[in-house]
Amino acid sequence: VRVWDLATGEPVGDPFTGHTGEVYTITAAELDGRPAVISGSEDCTVRAWDLAARPLVRDPFTGHTGPVRAVTATGLDGRPVVVSGGDDRSLRVWDVATGDPVGQPFTGHTAPVRAITAAELDGRAVVVSGADDGSVRVWDLATGTVAGGPFTGHDGPVLAVAAAGLDGRPVVVSG
């Protein structure tokens, strides 16, 4: 995992190392008031690094039984969490402070999860996922229960999802 200066194209510091397989997904976030980078890999782990100071925020998050294809960072009950999904068709929520899983894995997709984004629906935190099964699902972040979907209509896998607002209502865009 490398960091680049956007203006000069030069590397910023040494690469982040630790994954033992290809890195499939990266997101930037603020964790405990510090800039962070979160990555998911073919090695079935999620890692979070302090972007400025460079060390791992904590030991890798482990529990997926297949490559991790999607990550996002958000908050739950005032604490930072990371949400990951991958080839094991599940989503997992991780407490950044402790490294522990939060609740049970979210299950329902019938194929690998390829995309995740965080959003708010009716005042509660939700996570939206897209998968190779062509569906988009909405999950209540606190309970892991389905909060919407599955939304179907794609002719193939859903490789990207984004949350937005349209005319005062939350929407998700998928492709």
Side-chain angles (χ1 to χ4, degrees):
V1 175
R2 296 181 180 272
V3 180
W4 303 93
D5 183 299
L6 193 56
T8 67
E10 295 295 318
V12 176
D14 293 328
F16 294 105
T17 60
H19 282 298
T20 59
E22 292 181 19
V23 173
Y24 292 134
T25 181
I26 296 174
T27 194
E30 190 173 287
L31 300 176
D32 292 330
R34 308 256 321 149
V37 175
I38 298 125
S39 59
S41 169
E42 179 182 37
D43 66 10
C44 309
T45 69
V46 175
R47 295 174 187 259
W49 287 278
D50 183 306
L51 183 58
R54 310 300 275 189
L56 278 171
V57 171
R58 64 168 317 93
D59 291 338
F61 305 113
T62 60
H64 282 285
T65 58
V68 177
R69 305 276 182 177
V71 293
T72 194
T74 188
L76 176 62
D77 298 329
R79 68 182 192 252
V81 296
V82 169
V83 183
S84 57
D87 283 9
D88 61 7
R89 303 179 311 226
S90 73
L91 281 76
R92 294 174 183 264
V93 182
W94 309 96
D95 184 310
V96 174
T98 66
D100 294 331
V102 177
Q104 295 298 310
F106 302 177
T107 59
H109 282 293
T110 59
V113 176
R114 299 294 185 143
I116 302 173
T117 194
E120 188 174 300
L121 178 64
D122 297 328
R124 65 183 197 253
V126 296
V127 175
V128 181
S129 59
D132 282 355
D133 60 13
S135 73
V136 173
R137 294 175 184 264
V138 183
W139 310 88
D140 184 300
L141 187 57
T143 66
T145 58
V146 174
F151 307 145
T152 58
H154 287 281
D155 293 331
V158 177
L159 303 177
V161 293
L166 178 64
D167 297 328
R169 66 183 190 271
V171 298
V172 64
V173 182
S174 58

mmCIF file of all heavy atoms in Angstrom, residues 73-112:
data_model
loop_
_atom_site.group_PDB
_atom_site.id
_atom_site.type_symbol
_atom_site.label_atom_id
_atom_site.label_comp_id
_atom_site.label_asym_id
_atom_site.label_seq_id
_atom_site.Cartn_x
_atom_site.Cartn_y
_atom_site.Cartn_z
ATOM 1 N N ALA A 73 -15.224 2.803 6.534
ATOM 2 C CA ALA A 73 -15.127 3.177 7.944
ATOM 3 C C ALA A 73 -16.291 4.097 8.266
ATOM 4 O O ALA A 73 -16.704 4.918 7.441
ATOM 5 C CB ALA A 73 -13.805 3.874 8.214
ATOM 6 N N THR A 74 -16.832 3.946 9.467
ATOM 7 C CA THR A 74 -17.961 4.758 9.887
ATOM 8 C C THR A 74 -17.984 4.771 11.412
ATOM 9 O O THR A 74 -17.026 4.340 12.058
ATOM 10 C CB THR A 74 -19.280 4.223 9.275
ATOM 11 O OG1 THR A 74 -20.334 5.139 9.537
ATOM 12 C CG2 THR A 74 -19.621 2.834 9.760
ATOM 13 N N GLY A 75 -19.060 5.250 11.975
ATOM 14 C CA GLY A 75 -19.195 5.274 13.427
ATOM 15 C C GLY A 75 -20.418 4.495 13.870
ATOM 16 O O GLY A 75 -21.410 4.405 13.140
ATOM 17 N N LEU A 76 -20.334 3.939 15.058
ATOM 18 C CA LEU A 76 -21.449 3.208 15.648
ATOM 19 C C LEU A 76 -21.453 3.510 17.146
ATOM 20 O O LEU A 76 -20.465 3.211 17.837
ATOM 21 C CB LEU A 76 -21.292 1.699 15.413
ATOM 22 C CG LEU A 76 -22.352 0.796 16.062
ATOM 23 C CD1 LEU A 76 -23.733 1.113 15.501
ATOM 24 C CD2 LEU A 76 -22.007 -0.664 15.846
ATOM 25 N N ASP A 77 -22.523 4.113 17.609
ATOM 26 C CA ASP A 77 -22.646 4.460 19.024
ATOM 27 C C ASP A 77 -21.449 5.277 19.519
ATOM 28 O O ASP A 77 -20.928 5.042 20.613
ATOM 29 C CB ASP A 77 -22.826 3.207 19.884
ATOM 30 C CG ASP A 77 -24.087 2.439 19.536
ATOM 31 O OD1 ASP A 77 -25.072 3.082 19.116
ATOM 32 O OD2 ASP A 77 -24.092 1.196 19.675
ATOM 33 N N GLY A 78 -20.967 6.192 18.677
ATOM 34 C CA GLY A 78 -19.892 7.087 19.063
ATOM 35 C C GLY A 78 -18.490 6.512 18.985
ATOM 36 O O GLY A 78 -17.531 7.161 19.380
ATOM 37 N N ARG A 79 -18.349 5.308 18.485
ATOM 38 C CA ARG A 79 -17.011 4.722 18.358
ATOM 39 C C ARG A 79 -16.729 4.398 16.894
ATOM 40 O O ARG A 79 -17.635 4.059 16.136
ATOM 41 C CB ARG A 79 -16.878 3.484 19.240
ATOM 42 C CG ARG A 79 -17.722 2.324 18.774
ATOM 43 C CD ARG A 79 -17.582 1.141 19.735
ATOM 44 N NE ARG A 79 -18.153 -0.048 19.170
ATOM 45 C CZ ARG A 79 -19.289 -0.602 19.579
ATOM 46 N NH1 ARG A 79 -19.973 -0.057 20.549
ATOM 47 N NH2 ARG A 79 -19.728 -1.702 19.019
ATOM 48 N N PRO A 80 -15.451 4.487 16.483
ATOM 49 C CA PRO A 80 -15.126 4.168 15.090
ATOM 50 C C PRO A 80 -15.178 2.667 14.841
ATOM 51 O O PRO A 80 -14.715 1.874 15.658
ATOM 52 C CB PRO A 80 -13.708 4.708 14.924
ATOM 53 C CG PRO A 80 -13.145 4.769 16.296
ATOM 54 C CD PRO A 80 -14.290 4.954 17.235
ATOM 55 N N VAL A 81 -15.766 2.310 13.711
ATOM 56 C CA VAL A 81 -15.807 0.919 13.279
ATOM 57 C C VAL A 81 -15.394 0.830 11.820
ATOM 58 O O VAL A 81 -15.507 1.797 11.063
ATOM 59 C CB VAL A 81 -17.212 0.277 13.477
ATOM 60 C CG1 VAL A 81 -17.587 0.205 14.949
ATOM 61 C CG2 VAL A 81 -18.270 0.993 12.671
ATOM 62 N N VAL A 82 -14.909 -0.347 11.461
ATOM 63 C CA VAL A 82 -14.597 -0.680 10.076
ATOM 64 C C VAL A 82 -15.556 -1.783 9.669
ATOM 65 O O VAL A 82 -15.815 -2.705 10.451
ATOM 66 C CB VAL A 82 -13.135 -1.149 9.937
ATOM 67 C CG1 VAL A 82 -12.872 -1.741 8.562
ATOM 68 C CG2 VAL A 82 -12.175 -0.001 10.222
ATOM 69 N N VAL A 83 -16.087 -1.682 8.460
ATOM 70 C CA VAL A 83 -16.970 -2.720 7.920
ATOM 71 C C VAL A 83 -16.271 -3.319 6.704
ATOM 72 O O VAL A 83 -15.765 -2.584 5.852
ATOM 73 C CB VAL A 83 -18.351 -2.157 7.521
ATOM 74 C CG1 VAL A 83 -19.273 -3.279 7.044
ATOM 75 C CG2 VAL A 83 -18.978 -1.386 8.669
ATOM 76 N N SER A 84 -16.231 -4.643 6.639
ATOM 77 C CA SER A 84 -15.549 -5.318 5.541
ATOM 78 C C SER A 84 -16.453 -6.388 4.946
ATOM 79 O O SER A 84 -17.340 -6.916 5.604
ATOM 80 C CB SER A 84 -14.241 -5.952 6.037
ATOM 81 O OG SER A 84 -14.487 -6.858 7.094
ATOM 82 N N GLY A 85 -16.196 -6.704 3.682
ATOM 83 C CA GLY A 85 -16.947 -7.751 2.994
ATOM 84 C C GLY A 85 -16.058 -8.420 1.969
ATOM 85 O O GLY A 85 -15.062 -7.843 1.538
ATOM 86 N N GLY A 86 -16.421 -9.638 1.580
ATOM 87 C CA GLY A 86 -15.569 -10.322 0.621
ATOM 88 C C GLY A 86 -16.136 -11.603 0.082
ATOM 89 O O GLY A 86 -17.355 -11.820 0.051
ATOM 90 N N ASP A 87 -15.195 -12.465 -0.311
ATOM 91 C CA ASP A 87 -15.556 -13.689 -1.013
ATOM 92 C C ASP A 87 -16.333 -14.672 -0.154
ATOM 93 O O ASP A 87 -16.978 -15.579 -0.686
ATOM 94 C CB ASP A 87 -14.295 -14.373 -1.557
ATOM 95 C CG ASP A 87 -13.760 -13.693 -2.804
ATOM 96 O OD1 ASP A 87 -14.248 -12.610 -3.165
ATOM 97 O OD2 ASP A 87 -12.829 -14.262 -3.425
ATOM 98 N N ASP A 88 -16.288 -14.526 1.175
ATOM 99 C CA ASP A 88 -17.063 -15.432 2.020
ATOM 100 C C ASP A 88 -18.539 -15.022 2.102
ATOM 101 O O ASP A 88 -19.308 -15.609 2.844
ATOM 102 C CB ASP A 88 -16.450 -15.572 3.414
ATOM 103 C CG ASP A 88 -16.389 -14.258 4.188
ATOM 104 O OD1 ASP A 88 -16.925 -13.235 3.723
ATOM 105 O OD2 ASP A 88 -15.781 -14.260 5.278
ATOM 106 N N ARG A 89 -18.933 -13.995 1.311
ATOM 107 C CA ARG A 89 -20.319 -13.530 1.157
ATOM 108 C C ARG A 89 -20.860 -12.860 2.412
ATOM 109 O O ARG A 89 -22.066 -12.672 2.533
ATOM 110 C CB ARG A 89 -21.237 -14.682 0.728
ATOM 111 C CG ARG A 89 -20.805 -15.357 -0.539
ATOM 112 C CD ARG A 89 -21.703 -16.488 -0.911
ATOM 113 N NE ARG A 89 -21.927 -17.372 0.222
ATOM 114 C CZ ARG A 89 -21.871 -18.681 0.183
ATOM 115 N NH1 ARG A 89 -21.633 -19.279 -0.940
ATOM 116 N NH2 ARG A 89 -22.101 -19.397 1.259
ATOM 117 N N SER A 90 -19.978 -12.502 3.336
ATOM 118 C CA SER A 90 -20.435 -11.867 4.571
ATOM 119 C C SER A 90 -19.884 -10.452 4.691
ATOM 120 O O SER A 90 -18.905 -10.093 4.037
ATOM 121 C CB SER A 90 -19.993 -12.678 5.788
ATOM 122 O OG SER A 90 -18.605 -12.540 6.020
ATOM 123 N N LEU A 91 -20.529 -9.670 5.561
ATOM 124 C CA LEU A 91 -20.011 -8.386 6.001
ATOM 125 C C LEU A 91 -19.687 -8.535 7.470
ATOM 126 O O LEU A 91 -20.417 -9.207 8.210
ATOM 127 C CB LEU A 91 -21.040 -7.272 5.836
ATOM 128 C CG LEU A 91 -21.218 -6.700 4.435
ATOM 129 C CD1 LEU A 91 -22.003 -7.646 3.565
ATOM 130 C CD2 LEU A 91 -21.906 -5.364 4.520
ATOM 131 N N ARG A 92 -18.588 -7.917 7.890
ATOM 132 C CA ARG A 92 -18.181 -7.964 9.293
ATOM 133 C C ARG A 92 -17.914 -6.550 9.766
ATOM 134 O O ARG A 92 -17.387 -5.730 9.018
ATOM 135 C CB ARG A 92 -16.939 -8.832 9.473
ATOM 136 C CG ARG A 92 -17.221 -10.292 9.146
ATOM 137 C CD ARG A 92 -15.952 -11.139 9.179
ATOM 138 N NE ARG A 92 -16.262 -12.496 8.788
ATOM 139 C CZ ARG A 92 -16.519 -13.484 9.629
ATOM 140 N NH1 ARG A 92 -16.503 -13.270 10.922
ATOM 141 N NH2 ARG A 92 -16.793 -14.690 9.184
ATOM 142 N N VAL A 93 -18.291 -6.294 11.013
ATOM 143 C CA VAL A 93 -18.073 -4.985 11.633
ATOM 144 C C VAL A 93 -17.012 -5.166 12.703
ATOM 145 O O VAL A 93 -17.092 -6.095 13.515
ATOM 146 C CB VAL A 93 -19.379 -4.435 12.250
ATOM 147 C CG1 VAL A 93 -19.147 -3.059 12.856
ATOM 148 C CG2 VAL A 93 -20.484 -4.384 11.193
ATOM 149 N N TRP A 94 -16.023 -4.261 12.706
ATOM 150 C CA TRP A 94 -14.890 -4.351 13.627
ATOM 151 C C TRP A 94 -14.801 -3.093 14.473
ATOM 152 O O TRP A 94 -14.843 -1.988 13.942
ATOM 153 C CB TRP A 94 -13.586 -4.505 12.843
ATOM 154 C CG TRP A 94 -13.615 -5.585 11.827
ATOM 155 C CD1 TRP A 94 -13.896 -5.458 10.494
ATOM 156 C CD2 TRP A 94 -13.370 -6.970 12.039
ATOM 157 N NE1 TRP A 94 -13.832 -6.676 9.884
ATOM 158 C CE2 TRP A 94 -13.511 -7.625 10.800
ATOM 159 C CE3 TRP A 94 -13.040 -7.725 13.171
ATOM 160 C CZ2 TRP A 94 -13.333 -8.988 10.654
ATOM 161 C CZ3 TRP A 94 -12.860 -9.085 13.023
ATOM 162 C CH2 TRP A 94 -13.004 -9.711 11.773
ATOM 163 N N ASP A 95 -14.640 -3.256 15.773
ATOM 164 C CA ASP A 95 -14.393 -2.144 16.682
ATOM 165 C C ASP A 95 -12.922 -1.770 16.543
ATOM 166 O O ASP A 95 -12.038 -2.585 16.829
ATOM 167 C CB ASP A 95 -14.708 -2.566 18.118
ATOM 168 C CG ASP A 95 -14.562 -1.440 19.114
ATOM 169 O OD1 ASP A 95 -13.512 -0.755 19.111
ATOM 170 O OD2 ASP A 95 -15.493 -1.248 19.907
ATOM 171 N N VAL A 96 -12.640 -0.553 16.099
ATOM 172 C CA VAL A 96 -11.256 -0.148 15.849
ATOM 173 C C VAL A 96 -10.446 -0.119 17.142
ATOM 174 O O VAL A 96 -9.275 -0.501 17.167
ATOM 175 C CB VAL A 96 -11.197 1.213 15.125
ATOM 176 C CG1 VAL A 96 -9.764 1.695 14.988
ATOM 177 C CG2 VAL A 96 -11.853 1.113 13.752
ATOM 178 N N ALA A 97 -11.048 0.303 18.233
ATOM 179 C CA ALA A 97 -10.316 0.426 19.497
ATOM 180 C C ALA A 97 -9.874 -0.921 20.054
ATOM 181 O O ALA A 97 -8.765 -1.054 20.556
ATOM 182 C CB ALA A 97 -11.163 1.167 20.530
ATOM 183 N N THR A 98 -10.736 -1.924 19.950
ATOM 184 C CA THR A 98 -10.424 -3.223 20.552
ATOM 185 C C THR A 98 -9.966 -4.266 19.542
ATOM 186 O O THR A 98 -9.342 -5.254 19.927
ATOM 187 C CB THR A 98 -11.656 -3.798 21.280
ATOM 188 O OG1 THR A 98 -12.672 -4.095 20.308
ATOM 189 C CG2 THR A 98 -12.182 -2.827 22.323
ATOM 190 N N GLY A 99 -10.334 -4.074 18.264
ATOM 191 C CA GLY A 99 -10.045 -5.078 17.249
ATOM 192 C C GLY A 99 -11.043 -6.208 17.219
ATOM 193 O O GLY A 99 -10.949 -7.122 16.404
ATOM 194 N N ASP A 100 -12.013 -6.153 18.111
ATOM 195 C CA ASP A 100 -12.999 -7.228 18.203
ATOM 196 C C ASP A 100 -14.111 -7.060 17.181
ATOM 197 O O ASP A 100 -14.467 -5.934 16.815
ATOM 198 C CB ASP A 100 -13.637 -7.236 19.597
ATOM 199 C CG ASP A 100 -12.649 -7.582 20.687
ATOM 200 O OD1 ASP A 100 -11.676 -8.319 20.404
ATOM 201 O OD2 ASP A 100 -12.844 -7.104 21.822
ATOM 202 N N PRO A 101 -14.689 -8.189 16.737
ATOM 203 C CA PRO A 101 -15.881 -8.078 15.904
ATOM 204 C C PRO A 101 -17.039 -7.510 16.713
ATOM 205 O O PRO A 101 -17.129 -7.742 17.923
ATOM 206 C CB PRO A 101 -16.171 -9.517 15.471
ATOM 207 C CG PRO A 101 -15.299 -10.397 16.273
ATOM 208 C CD PRO A 101 -14.274 -9.558 16.969
ATOM 209 N N VAL A 102 -17.888 -6.754 16.051
ATOM 210 C CA VAL A 102 -19.094 -6.210 16.668
ATOM 211 C C VAL A 102 -20.259 -7.054 16.168
ATOM 212 O O VAL A 102 -20.618 -6.997 14.998
ATOM 213 C CB VAL A 102 -19.308 -4.728 16.294
ATOM 214 C CG1 VAL A 102 -20.605 -4.199 16.887
ATOM 215 C CG2 VAL A 102 -18.116 -3.881 16.735
ATOM 216 N N GLY A 103 -20.810 -7.868 17.024
ATOM 217 C CA GLY A 103 -21.921 -8.727 16.622
ATOM 218 C C GLY A 103 -21.479 -9.850 15.703
ATOM 219 O O GLY A 103 -20.287 -10.124 15.540
ATOM 220 N N GLN A 104 -22.464 -10.461 15.100
ATOM 221 C CA GLN A 104 -22.233 -11.573 14.185
ATOM 222 C C GLN A 104 -22.069 -11.044 12.764
ATOM 223 O O GLN A 104 -22.529 -9.949 12.443
ATOM 224 C CB GLN A 104 -23.420 -12.542 14.235
ATOM 225 C CG GLN A 104 -23.587 -13.228 15.571
ATOM 226 C CD GLN A 104 -22.379 -14.088 15.903
ATOM 227 O OE1 GLN A 104 -21.934 -14.896 15.093
ATOM 228 N NE2 GLN A 104 -21.833 -13.891 17.109
ATOM 229 N N PRO A 105 -21.436 -11.831 11.870
ATOM 230 C CA PRO A 105 -21.353 -11.405 10.468
ATOM 231 C C PRO A 105 -22.753 -11.202 9.881
ATOM 232 O O PRO A 105 -23.703 -11.881 10.263
ATOM 233 C CB PRO A 105 -20.648 -12.578 9.788
ATOM 234 C CG PRO A 105 -19.904 -13.263 10.886
ATOM 235 C CD PRO A 105 -20.749 -13.084 12.117
ATOM 236 N N PHE A 106 -22.854 -10.247 8.960
ATOM 237 C CA PHE A 106 -24.099 -10.013 8.227
ATOM 238 C C PHE A 106 -24.094 -10.968 7.044
ATOM 239 O O PHE A 106 -23.169 -10.950 6.238
ATOM 240 C CB PHE A 106 -24.180 -8.584 7.696
ATOM 241 C CG PHE A 106 -24.076 -7.484 8.731
ATOM 242 C CD1 PHE A 106 -24.080 -6.165 8.322
ATOM 243 C CD2 PHE A 106 -23.980 -7.728 10.083
ATOM 244 C CE1 PHE A 106 -23.988 -5.125 9.231
ATOM 245 C CE2 PHE A 106 -23.885 -6.705 11.010
ATOM 246 C CZ PHE A 106 -23.892 -5.394 10.581
ATOM 247 N N THR A 107 -25.120 -11.791 6.930
ATOM 248 C CA THR A 107 -25.185 -12.755 5.836
ATOM 249 C C THR A 107 -26.486 -12.592 5.067
ATOM 250 O O THR A 107 -27.482 -12.141 5.612
ATOM 251 C CB THR A 107 -25.066 -14.194 6.364
ATOM 252 O OG1 THR A 107 -26.128 -14.443 7.291
ATOM 253 C CG2 THR A 107 -23.734 -14.427 7.053
ATOM 254 N N GLY A 108 -26.454 -12.959 3.808
ATOM 255 C CA GLY A 108 -27.628 -12.859 2.956
ATOM 256 C C GLY A 108 -27.257 -12.849 1.487
ATOM 257 O O GLY A 108 -28.015 -13.334 0.647
ATOM 258 N N HIS A 109 -26.085 -12.295 1.164
ATOM 259 C CA HIS A 109 -25.632 -12.357 -0.228
ATOM 260 C C HIS A 109 -25.308 -13.809 -0.568
ATOM 261 O O HIS A 109 -24.843 -14.572 0.285
ATOM 262 C CB HIS A 109 -24.387 -11.489 -0.440
ATOM 263 C CG HIS A 109 -24.678 -10.026 -0.547
ATOM 264 N ND1 HIS A 109 -25.380 -9.484 -1.596
ATOM 265 C CD2 HIS A 109 -24.361 -8.994 0.278
ATOM 266 C CE1 HIS A 109 -25.476 -8.174 -1.420
ATOM 267 N NE2 HIS A 109 -24.883 -7.856 -0.287
ATOM 268 N N THR A 110 -25.550 -14.175 -1.821
ATOM 269 C CA THR A 110 -25.280 -15.548 -2.259
ATOM 270 C C THR A 110 -24.019 -15.637 -3.096
ATOM 271 O O THR A 110 -23.738 -16.688 -3.681
ATOM 272 C CB THR A 110 -26.483 -16.091 -3.058
ATOM 273 O OG1 THR A 110 -26.705 -15.248 -4.190
ATOM 274 C CG2 THR A 110 -27.736 -16.145 -2.183
ATOM 275 N N ALA A 111 -23.253 -14.547 -3.153
ATOM 276 C CA ALA A 111 -22.007 -14.499 -3.910
ATOM 277 C C ALA A 111 -21.103 -13.467 -3.231
ATOM 278 O O ALA A 111 -21.550 -12.726 -2.348
ATOM 279 C CB ALA A 111 -22.290 -14.119 -5.368
ATOM 280 N N PRO A 112 -19.826 -13.406 -3.628
ATOM 281 C CA PRO A 112 -18.899 -12.482 -2.983
ATOM 282 C C PRO A 112 -19.396 -11.035 -2.942
ATOM 283 O O PRO A 112 -19.986 -10.539 -3.903
ATOM 284 C CB PRO A 112 -17.635 -12.596 -3.841
ATOM 285 C CG PRO A 112 -17.673 -14.001 -4.350
ATOM 286 C CD PRO A 112 -19.131 -14.251 -4.630
#
